[in-house]
């Protein structure tokens, strides 16, 4: 009973504080919107790099080059006028420009060297430039190969033509066969690439398009739920400083009840926080024309992970309060610890972009496991068993934080 | 003259208070430094330490070859030659699927059993690619690469089929045994292959990647050149919470009134505060840029004067924003809350978390220009990445000073000393 009264008191104080309300609900939502925009250009769709192309040739090969670039995926080539393109590139409206020289088709047909120019603006993102380069190089290589095959066929046809017994094997005939096949192959390749998502092997569905929400909602929510640990610690320190903690201790209840009451308040707050952020992401974002969060096929697993994250953050709050001696230390510790752990846990950018020890050191942060568990269940099609390791580690962190925090807590 | 002396005295007092507070030192200097170093090193491997030819990307990919036929081997060999792919070979498609569900790689490429036979028989066949739904930007690159590699197999499949069709139609091999037919076809294919491989020494189409001046310019190889300015600018503007809070606490605790009773201009109190935090920002810039330059070889550009001017303009804009906040906030608590919120929101909008300029012309890129952050970042890019000089950053420095003046004038009109 005492625990509940303490929790209720804390909740009242907390929910009256507009600043806390902001950091509980508004900031996480702002971060979610910002970060889903950072990685996906704000549209919620997978970003396709646009590639303006000036076609000074106008021939069939130039046409095929542009079509093949578009077919390769990831890059969208669009024809533009040369004068317009130069102006826009100089002004930074275009980040890059592909220039197909005059005589491209004729040179290619005659197997003469031709050069495509890919001009990059200094502000162009390096990864986009690399992606475009890969695609254009690839298409150019295949067209090179086709041109070379044609040239060698023609050559062989000429040799055969010299041998009267192989008369039906004319150069024209061979080349005609090859041309007709290449034309069909561009449209309907002999070997195609079938894309799918984890869990769809054997039962391929139309690949779903996932946007930034699937990663930014869980990672930002985890960040801000753990930041509540700082608020909890600060509230405990503040009560100690003001002296109300000592007065509560004089009340007829056990010390641990006081602490557990405070922890219950934090737990309930973080649960509400999780529910509100996920709820808004699932139901309200689509109403605003944004991409909504999809909960995957195992909503119960999502709930379980959420509860575990809330428990873990609560424990961490008490742990910080137990070790920090002054209010200043609380804010310094929690600031450093919580942001650095979130950073290491891959909250701000995908860990695969990092290399070396930093891509592995994340395992020391509960954030890492929480993010991984959410990602698995929400987006990678995992069920509870699939994220058993993540859940076990998260539970381990929780137990450790609670035990050490409550054991080391200094009531006086 | 006295006003300047008083301002300096106030600033001296402020700095003493500040430097005695370990928490604040951590917050203003250690935290930005730690973040910048962590993030910089995190991306360092992809940028800095890989040498000139290192790709900007390293993509983890699983590869399963359940076929092992000639066409599958061709795909595997080609994939292994591509530097951006970091390939791990797995035994079965099921294992790849499971590990993809764990998020262990960006993509798994699976060549199913019977693949080569199907290509030989001119039957449509498929290479399967499992993509990580959470990292579409990397996954789409892998899918582009696979498409390109597969296209080459397609070509050989087509050529082989073409040869056998022409033989068929020509009737040249009528009545001969299957062995002879196969040998003839293989011989023709071999002849074509030999010729094509000889020609491939000289690629017909080359792709020349160049910058606006036509020069082939390397992109920045040092990740710190992006992250250090981002963090410097973000943390500089975070100071607004601190500036406004200390000012309002002085007001709340009554020391402000006491200072007012002293024989000095009110402006001196404000100027003293601004001077303090202008210095703090300059120290932050010096510390972050210094450490990054000494420890991580971050280039500092070619214009120390330009760097100083831009940093000063940044410092003035940031401390004036603090004043503005102090003028509008009612209590120190409110100032703290609004300041932190503003630090995050303006930092995010301004591109200090991730550059909006990588999405040029986008709505966010345009919107970012309302924040002083975006202009400061642009200025640092000009100096550090593009090797610009004082003249090149004058527009950005001017805009920052413009922000500073507007913030300051509005703050002075609104601020209630009593």
């Amino acid at each position: 009973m005492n625990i509940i009264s303490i929790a209720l008191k804390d909740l009242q104080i907390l929910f009256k504080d507009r600043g806390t309300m902001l950091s509980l609900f508004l900031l996480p939502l702002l971060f979610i919107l910002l970060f889903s925009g950072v990685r996906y250009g704000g549209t919620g769709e997978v970003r396709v790099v646009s590639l303006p192309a000036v076609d000074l040739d106008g021939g069939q090969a130039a046409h095929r080059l542009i079509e093949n670039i578009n077919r390769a995926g990831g890059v969208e080539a669009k024809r533009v006028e040369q004068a317009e393109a130069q102006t826009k590139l100089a002004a930074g409206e275009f980040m890059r420009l592909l220039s197909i020289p005059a005589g491209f088709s004729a040179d290619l047909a005659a197997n003469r060297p031709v050069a495509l120019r890919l001009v990059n603006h200094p502000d162009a993102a390096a990864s986009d430039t690399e992606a475009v380069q890969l695609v254009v190089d690839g298409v150019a290589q295949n067209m090179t190969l086709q041109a070379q095959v044609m040239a060698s066929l023609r050559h062989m046809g000429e040799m055969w033509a010299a041998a009267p017994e192989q008369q039906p094997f004319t150069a024209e005939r061979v080349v005609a066969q090859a041309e007709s096949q290449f034309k069909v192959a561009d449209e309907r390749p002999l070997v195609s690439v079938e894309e799918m998502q984890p869990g769809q092997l054997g039962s391929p569905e139309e690949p779903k398009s996932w946007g930034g929400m699937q990663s930014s909602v869980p990672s930002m929510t985890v960040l801000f739920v753990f930041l509540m640990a700082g608020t909890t610690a600060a509230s405990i320190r503040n009560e100690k400083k003001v002296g109300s903690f000592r007065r509560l201790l004089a009340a007829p209840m056990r010390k641990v009840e006081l602490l557990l009451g405070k922890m219950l308040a934090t737990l309930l707050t973080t649960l509400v926080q999780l529910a509100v952020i996920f709820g808004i992401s699932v139901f309200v974002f689509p109403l605003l024309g944004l991409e909504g969060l999809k909960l995957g096929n195992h909503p119960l697993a999502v709930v379980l992970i959420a509860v575990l994250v809330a428990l873990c953050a609560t424990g961490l709050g008490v742990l910080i309060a137990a070790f920090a001696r002054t209010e200043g230390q609380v804010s310094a510790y929690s600031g450093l610890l919580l942001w650095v752990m979130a950073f290491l846990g891959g909250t701000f950018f995908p860990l695969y972009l990092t290399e070396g020890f930093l891509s592995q050191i994340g395992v020391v942060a509960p954030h890492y496991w929480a993010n991984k568990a959410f990602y698995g269940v929400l987006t990678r099609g995992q069920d509870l068993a699939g994220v058993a390791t993540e859940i076990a580690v998260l539970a381990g962190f929780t137990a450790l934080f609670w035990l050490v925090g409550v054991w080391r807590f200094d009531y006086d | 003259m006295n006003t300047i002396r008083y301002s300096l005295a106030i600033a001296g007092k402020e700095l003493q208070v500040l430097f005695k507070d370990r928490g604040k030192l951590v917050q203003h200097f250690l935290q930005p430094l730690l973040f910048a170093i962590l993030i910089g090193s995190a991306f360092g491997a992809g940028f800095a330490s890989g040498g000139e030819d290192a790709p900007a990307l390293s993509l983890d990919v699983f590869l399963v070859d359940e076929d092992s036929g000639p066409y599958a081997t061709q795909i595997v060999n080609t994939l292994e030659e591509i530097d951006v792919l970091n390939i791990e070979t797995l035994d079965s498609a099921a294992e790849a699927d499971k590990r993809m569900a764990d998020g262990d790689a960006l993509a798994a490429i699976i060549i199913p059993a019977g693949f080569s036979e199907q290509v030989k028989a001119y039957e449509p066949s498929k290479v399967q690619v499992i993509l990580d739904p959470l990292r579409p930007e990397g996954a789409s690159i892998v899918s582009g690469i696979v498409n390109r590699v597969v296209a080459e197999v397609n070509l050989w499949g087509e050529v082989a089929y073409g040869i056998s069709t022409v033989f068929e139609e020509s009737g040249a091999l009528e009545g001969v045994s299957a062995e002879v037919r196969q040998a003839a076809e293989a011989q023709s294919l071999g002849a074509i292959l030999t010729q094509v491989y000889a020609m491939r020494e000289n690629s017909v189409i080359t792709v020349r990647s160049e910058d606006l001046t036509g020069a082939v310019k390397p992109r920045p190889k040092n990740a710190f050149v992006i992250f250090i300015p981002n963090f410097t600018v973000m943390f500089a503007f975070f100071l607004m919470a601190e500036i406004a809070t200390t000012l309002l606490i002085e007001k709340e605790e009554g020391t402000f009134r006491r200072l007012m009773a002293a024989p000095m201009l009110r402006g001196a109190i404000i100027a003293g505060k601004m001077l303090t935090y202008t210095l703090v920002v300059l120290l932050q810039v010096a510390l972050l840029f210094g450490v990054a330059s000494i420890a991580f070889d971050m280039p500092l550009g070619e214009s120390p004067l330009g760097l100083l001017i831009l940093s000063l303009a940044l410092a003035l804009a940031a401390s004036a924003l603090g004043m503005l906040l102090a003028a509008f906030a009612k209590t120190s608590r409110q100032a703290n809350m609004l300041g932190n919120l503003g630090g995050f929101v303006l930092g995010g909008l301004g591109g200090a978390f991730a550059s909006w300029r990588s999405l040029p012309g986008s709505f966010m890129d345009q919107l970012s220009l309302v924040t002083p952050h975006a202009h400061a970042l642009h200025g640092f890019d000009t100096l550090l990445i593009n090797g610009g000089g004082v003249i090149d950053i004058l527009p950005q420095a001017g805009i920052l000073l413009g922000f500073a003046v507007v913030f300051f004038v509005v703050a002075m009109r609104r601020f209630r000393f009593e």
Side-chain angles (χ1 to χ4, degrees), chain A residues 57-266:
Chain A
D57 176 58
Q60 225 190 354
H63 187 73
R64 257 178 54 219
L65 177 80
I66 290 179
E67 276 197 345
N68 288 348
I69 289 174
N70 287 331
R71 208 172 278 134
V75 175
E76 192 188 3
K78 264 187 234 134
R79 272 203 182 71
V80 285
E81 289 307 314
Q82 188 179 23
E84 179 203 356
Q86 292 297 350
T87 324
K88 288 196 170 167
L89 183 67
E93 278 178 60
F94 286 167
M95 279 297 110
R96 53 189 62 76
L97 181 65
L98 178 71
S99 190
I100 307 170
F104 176 78
S105 299
D107 286 342
L108 196 64
N111 206 24
R112 281 193 298 266
V114 286
L116 294 170
R117 282 175 62 222
L118 187 61
V119 185
N120 297 300
H121 191 271
D123 288 348
S127 54
D128 284 359
T129 302
E130 188 133 351
V132 169
Q133 179 93 39
L134 271 173
V135 169
V136 177
D137 272 344
V139 170
Q141 268 188 29
N142 283 322
M143 290 184 66
T144 293
L145 203 56
Q146 289 191 359
Q148 288 168 335
V149 168
M150 297 294 258
S152 74
L153 283 177
R154 218 170 265 128
H155 190 212
M156 277 184 62
E158 280 156 17
M159 290 191 332
W160 281 324
E165 72 274 14
Q166 302 237 352
Q167 207 51 49
F169 236 151
T170 60
E172 290 75 45
R173 176 141 201 189
V174 174
V175 170
Q177 171 72 27
E179 265 177 349
S180 77
Q181 269 181 247
F182 286 152
K183 211 164 273 167
V184 176
D186 276 346
E187 312 264 308
R188 179 208 57 80
L190 175 58
V191 183
S192 56
V193 178
E194 182 181 47
E195 295 183 0
M196 63 191 85
Q197 279 160 10
Q200 294 181 353
L201 204 66
S203 61
E205 303 160 28
E206 191 62 20
K208 293 176 201 133
S209 125
W210 301 101
M213 289 300 167
Q214 294 301 118
S215 58
S216 70
V217 173
S219 63
M220 291 301 146
T221 309
V222 167
L223 165 72
F224 280 92
V225 167
F226 274 101
L227 284 180
M228 259 307 284
T231 313
T232 311
S235 134
I236 293 174
R237 273 292 139 196
N238 196 35
E239 287 224 43
K240 281 191 172 181
K241 186 182 164 197
V242 178
S244 58
F245 204 79
R246 201 168 281 184
R247 263 182 251 174
L248 283 173
L249 280 176
M253 66 168 108
R254 285 187 299 154
K255 285 177 176 180
V256 78
E257 284 181 324
L258 173 55
L259 188 59
L260 289 179
K262 284 206 146 298
M263 293 178 86
L264 182 61
T266 308

Side-chain angles (χ1 to χ4, degrees), chain B residues 178-198:
Chain B
E179 286 77 29
V180 175
R181 167 188 291 270
Q182 257 180 9
E185 285 178 12
Q187 217 174 0
S188 307
L189 183 61
I192 294 174
L193 279 178
T194 316
Q195 288 204 31
V196 169
Y197 276 115

Side-chain angles (χ1 to χ4, degrees), chain B residues 281-296:
Chain B
V281 173
L282 288 177
L283 278 176
Q284 280 182 335
V285 176
L287 179 76
L288 285 164
F289 280 45
V291 169
S293 160
I294 294 166
F296 302 102

Side-chain angles (χ1 to χ4, degrees), chain A residues 7-28:
Chain A
L8 281 177
K9 173 215 72 155
D10 267 20
L11 285 176
Q12 273 180 4
I13 294 175
L14 200 69
F15 279 83
K16 269 196 189 137
D17 185 355
R18 256 191 293 171
T20 313
M21 287 300 102
L22 276 179
S23 61
L24 269 178
F25 304 112
L26 194 61
L27 266 186

Side-chain angles (χ1 to χ4, degrees), chain B residues 67-321:
Chain B
D67 178 59
S68 310
Y71 287 112
T73 309
Q74 189 191 343
I75 292 181
V76 170
N77 291 343
T78 316
L79 285 172
E80 278 171 352
E81 277 169 25
I82 297 171
D83 335 328
V84 293
L85 297 184
N86 180 20
I87 296 176
E88 184 182 338
T89 309
L90 299 181
D91 292 331
S92 73
E95 187 188 356
D97 193 37
K98 192 187 164 297
R99 292 199 52 195
M100 283 304 297
D102 284 338
D104 287 346
L106 275 178
I109 304 164
I110 298 159
I111 309 171
F115 173 77
S116 295
E117 285 306 317
Q118 277 183 314
V119 177
K120 268 187 213 158
Y122 204 60
E123 286 166 15
S125 56
K126 280 175 180 163
V127 171
Q128 294 172 311
V129 182
I130 306 176
L131 300 170
D132 186 354
L134 282 167
R135 297 174 286 183
E137 68 283 12
S140 74
I141 297 178
V142 176
S143 110
I145 292 175
V146 176
N147 270 299
R148 165 187 144 188
V149 172
V150 161
E152 190 154 326
V153 172
N154 255 322
L155 191 68
W156 294 127
E158 295 285 353
V159 170
Y161 174 74
I163 290 170
S164 88
T165 309
V166 172
F167 269 121
E168 195 76 42
E169 286 177 359
S170 73
L173 294 175
E174 221 157 276
V176 304
S177 70
E179 286 77 29
V180 175
R181 167 188 291 270
Q182 257 180 9
E185 285 178 12
Q187 217 174 0
S188 307
L189 183 61
I192 294 174
L193 279 178
T194 316
Q195 288 204 31
V196 169
Y197 276 115
M199 286 187 219
R200 284 190 103 180
E201 296 295 310
N202 314 302
S203 184
V204 182
I205 310 175
T206 49
V207 184
R208 243 174 74 95
S209 198
E210 55 194 45
D211 74 357
L212 294 183
T213 62
V216 180
K217 198 167 137 193
R219 62 198 155 69
K221 289 282 181 189
N222 195 310
F224 287 93
V225 98
I226 294 162
F227 291 109
I228 295 284
N230 275 2
F231 277 93
T232 309
V233 170
M234 185 172 73
F235 278 97
F237 283 103
F238 256 112
L239 278 173
M240 72 172 137
E242 163 95 13
I243 299 170
T245 310
T246 54
L247 204 66
L248 291 171
I249 284 182
E250 288 222 44
K251 227 167 118 175
E252 285 158 14
E253 289 182 350
T255 52
F256 206 76
R257 202 169 278 184
R258 269 180 247 174
L259 278 177
M260 301 273 295
M264 64 168 95
L265 278 175
R266 291 170 170 188
I269 304 174
I270 298 298
K273 280 266 179 203
M274 275 197 64
L275 187 59
T276 310
Y277 286 97
T278 305
L279 274 175
V280 170
V281 173
L282 288 177
L283 278 176
Q284 280 182 335
V285 176
L287 179 76
L288 285 164
F289 280 45
V291 169
S293 160
I294 294 166
F296 302 102
D297 291 328
M298 179 181 90
L300 290 180
E302 281 145 30
S303 171
L305 184 64
L307 211 51
L308 183 68
I309 291 174
L310 189 66
S311 308
L312 194 62
L314 164 72
L316 286 169
S319 41
L321 186 57

Side-chain angles (χ1 to χ4, degrees), chain B residues 32-49:
Chain B
L33 188 65
L34 201 71
F35 264 105
I37 290 178
L38 275 174
I39 294 207
S41 337
F43 286 89
F47 284 82
S49 57

